Amino acid sequence: MFDPQEVFVVFVLGGPGSGKGTQSEYIIKDYGFVHLSAGDLLREEQKREGSQYKELIQDCIREGKIVPMEVTIALLENAMKEAIDKEGKKRFLIDGFPRKMDQALKFEEVVVESQFTLYFECSEDTLVTRLLKRGESSGRIDDNIESIKKRFQTFKETSFPVIEYYEGKDKVRKVNAERDIEKVYADVKKVIEAALEQTKA
Ligand code: UP5
Ligand code: MG
C-alpha cells in the first residue's frame, strides 16, 4: 500500500507497562511522528457505537489475548491513510504492534515494511509495580493482577518471537526501560536521530 521510501514506520515493542506509550508521546513532540497505539485503537473500536467487534475486543483485552489481526491491521491502515491524506504525515510510531508473527508478516506484506523496532526491555517485577499503580486510576479492564499475569504470558510466548525475528534481521534497537523516564528517553533520542539521518521521509 505504501512505499517504505516515503512512509517511515517504527514498531514500538516491549512488555506490558514498559513505557511504549509514554516514550512515544515524547518522540512525537520532538520529531513529528504520528503515534498509533494498537491497544488504544482497539479500545476506541470497542467503545464505538455499532461496532461488531465490541465483545471480541473486550474479551481478548481482559484475557491478555491477541485480537485477530484483520481487525487490528484494518484500524492501523485506516488511521495511517487518514494521517497521510489529511495531514501529509509520513512518520509513524506503531506502538504495541505487531505482537504476533502473523501480524508482522501480514502488515509488512500489505501495508508497508518497517524501518526498525524500538524495543523496551524491562523486568517483570518493575512492570507489575507500574501497572498496578496505573490501575488505581486508569480504568483499564486489564490493569489487575489476573489480567497482568496473562498479558506477561502472551508477551513471552507470542510477542517475544516477533522481536527475535527482527533481531535476526538486525532491525531491533534495544533500550533499557528499567530506568526513569528521562534517562530512557535520552537513549531513545539517540536511536531516533541516528535513524532519521538516513531517511528522506
Ligand atoms: N511508566 C512508564 N515509563 C516509566 C518509567 N521509565 N519509570 C517509571 N514509570 C514509568 O506506561 C505504563 C505505566 O508506567 C504508566 O503509568 C507510566 O506512567 C509508567 P505506558 O507508557 O503506558 O506503557 P505501555 O508499554 O504503553 O503499557 P501498556 O499497558 O499500554 O502495554 P500493553 O502492551 O500491555 O497494552 P496495549 O494497549 O498495547 O495492549 C492492550 C491489549 O490490547 C493487549 O493485551 C491485547 O489484548 C490487545 N492488543 C491486540 O490484541 N493486538 C494488538 O496489536 C495490540 C493490542
Ligand atoms: Mg500503551
Side-chain angles (χ1 to χ4, degrees):
M1 177 164 308
F2 305 120
D3 179 351
Q5 302 291 332
E6 301 277 329
V7 174
F8 192 91
V9 165
V10 177
F11 291 144
V12 183
L13 298 179
S18 56
K20 302 184 290 297
T22 304
Q23 296 293 328
S24 294
E25 289 305 313
Y26 276 61
I27 298 170
I28 59 172
K29 289 203 187 98
D30 286 342
Y31 303 102
F33 277 80
V34 177
H35 172 213
L36 298 177
S37 156
D40 288 348
L41 289 170
L42 287 166
R43 282 182 285 273
E44 272 168 36
E45 176 65 17
Q46 193 270 322
K47 285 191 204 125
R48 190 174 62 81
E49 199 65 40
S51 168
Q52 54 176 316
Y53 302 118
K54 271 180 180 299
E55 283 180 15
L56 173 72
I57 294 174
Q58 175 146 339
D59 292 347
C60 285
I61 289 183
R62 192 188 293 109
E63 295 303 314
K65 290 196 183 127
I66 314 286
V67 174
M69 66 172 173
E70 291 74 16
V71 177
T72 315
I73 290 179
L75 293 170
L76 286 170
E77 210 175 283
N78 289 340
M80 287 179 72
K81 264 191 211 144
E82 194 169 310
I84 291 168
D85 295 346
K86 290 194 183 149
E87 301 166 57
K89 297 282 193 177
K90 290 178 172 178
R91 297 174 180 177
F92 294 88
L93 296 172
I94 310 278
D95 156 4
F97 177 98
R99 53 213 297 154
K100 194 172 176 182
M101 266 320 292
D102 66 349
Q103 296 180 330
L105 299 176
K106 194 74 182 172
F107 182 90
E108 294 203 312
E109 182 198 327
V110 302
V111 184
V112 66
E113 195 183 324
S114 65
Q115 299 295 323
F116 64 93
T117 292
L118 182 57
Y119 169 46
F120 292 117
E121 193 175 50
C122 198
S123 68
E124 273 189 21
D125 285 350
T126 301
L127 298 179
V128 178
T129 309
R130 286 185 194 168
L131 292 172
L132 289 177
K133 176 98 191 90
R134 186 180 68 185
E136 293 168 11
S137 60
S138 69
R140 272 179 55 164
I141 56 167
D142 57 349
D143 279 347
N144 58 77
I145 193 66
E146 292 77 30
S147 294
I148 290 169
K149 283 185 190 152
K150 292 175 184 168
R151 289 157 73 190
F152 285 161
Q153 189 76 7
T154 302
F155 177 72
K156 280 186 281 196
E157 286 173 3
T158 311
S159 307
F160 196 69
V162 175
I163 293 159
E164 289 177 316
Y165 168 75
Y166 286 118
E167 248 167 7
K169 292 174 167 269
D170 198 21
K171 286 177 83 171
V172 175
R173 307 291 173 265
K174 183 158 64 177
V175 171
N176 172 2
E178 201 79 41
R179 302 160 302 158
D180 66 44
I181 292 174
E182 274 67 32
K183 291 214 175 87
V184 175
Y185 188 57
D187 282 359
V188 167
K189 281 183 83 122
K190 287 182 202 154
V191 170
I192 298 289
E193 282 172 15
L196 288 177
E197 266 175 24
Q198 295 164 27
T199 178
K200 287 177 286 169

